[in-house]
Amino acid sequence: MFTLPPITLPGIDDYAAAHSAPDPDALRVVPENDLGMGHLISGQLVGGLLRMLIHTIRPRLVLDIGTFTGYSALSMAVALPEGARVISCEVDPERAEVARKHIAEAGFSDVISVRVGSALDTVAGIDEPLDLVFIDADKPNYHNYYAATLPKLSPRGLMVCDNTLWRGEIIDADSTDPDVRALRAFNDAVAADPRCESVMLTVRDGVTLIRRV
């Protein structure tokens, strides 16, 4: 079987971004290097992918694990159907306040609820079906977030996990980086789980889509 080589050319992400829709105006309230760690923001391509998914599945309840600056929550909120909402989980109170400020400035405080504390505690308190789950938080807990949310996915629900290729370092089986090791274990567990179907996309830093079967 003929397969194309992986796309690793310098500038390929910039090219993809230039040929994709720009961020909506609501995202302009989030500074590019907010909290001094702008590289941690999911970014235009992942945000655009999330909005495309939302336009397709029309979720009523979205769970955002890892609020950070509020970028991902806002990226999804702008595409939600009327009456839908986002619950966003953030363990750091300072980051949560920054995110709430951005969310308020964008006019989405009535759509996005930022919950401070353990995301697992927040998930445990949610009784409604989850239509879309976006995971972009501490990598060692990815499997815990997955295990907690998979049973709560609605029949057509979708889980989206960011950074699953981790700058390409994910293929290094000998890596001692705790994030790489955690993500490798997570990726292996998802691929072997008969309860779900998944596809790993080479968008930006790797995005895995998961649905329950």
Side-chain angles (χ1 to χ4, degrees):
M1 180 184 295
F2 175 75
T3 58
L4 292 172
I7 298 175
T8 57
L9 296 175
I12 200 70
D13 277 354
D14 290 338
Y15 182 87
H19 291 80
S20 301
D23 280 340
D25 289 344
L27 274 295
R28 293 180 182 177
V29 302
V30 183
E32 184 174 345
N33 197 34
D34 205 7
L35 295 173
M37 295 178 284
H39 63 287
L40 297 181
I41 292 175
S42 50
Q44 174 195 349
L45 293 176
V46 175
L49 174 62
L50 290 171
R51 287 191 296 279
M52 284 290 187
L53 294 173
I54 285 173
H55 280 300
T56 300
I57 66 176
R58 309 297 288 171
R60 304 303 299 172
L61 180 58
V62 173
L63 180 66
D64 176 41
I65 299 182
T67 308
F68 193 41
T69 63
Y71 181 94
S72 58
L74 281 169
S75 289
M76 295 184 284
V78 298
L80 288 177
E82 186 176 354
R85 68 191 198 281
V86 178
I87 296 175
S88 191
C89 306
E90 177 55 57
V91 72
D92 186 313
E94 180 183 352
R95 292 181 178 180
E97 283 307 306
V98 170
R100 284 180 177 134
K101 174 177 176 291
H102 294 156
I103 291 165
E105 290 175 352
F108 283 87
S109 293
D110 59 337
V111 176
I112 303 170
S113 171
V114 179
R115 309 276 181 90
V116 180
S118 164
L120 293 173
D121 289 344
T122 296
V123 172
I126 298 175
D127 296 324
E128 303 166 69
L130 299 169
D131 300 308
L132 182 67
V133 177
F134 180 55
I135 301 176
D136 185 15
D138 53 316
K139 310 314 170 190
N141 258 322
Y142 262 39
H143 191 273
N144 292 330
Y145 299 143
Y146 165 79
T149 57
L150 185 67
K152 298 193 174 192
L153 283 181
S154 63
R156 296 186 62 82
L158 192 66
M159 191 183 305
V160 183
C161 304
D162 202 8
N163 305 120
T164 49
L165 291 178
W166 202 248
R167 302 185 297 267
E169 296 174 32
I170 200 72
I171 62 174
D172 182 2
D174 298 320
S175 175
T176 58
D177 184 314
D179 288 327
V180 174
R181 293 174 68 89
L183 286 169
R184 282 181 61 89
F186 169 72
N187 291 340
D188 289 345
V190 170
D193 193 340
R195 298 175 301 167
C196 73
E197 180 180 13
S198 64
V199 59
M200 185 180 289
L201 308 177
T202 55
V203 175
R204 206 168 182 242
D205 198 29
V207 177
T208 299
L209 307 183
I210 303 166
R211 73 176 184 92
R212 200 173 59 187
V213 296

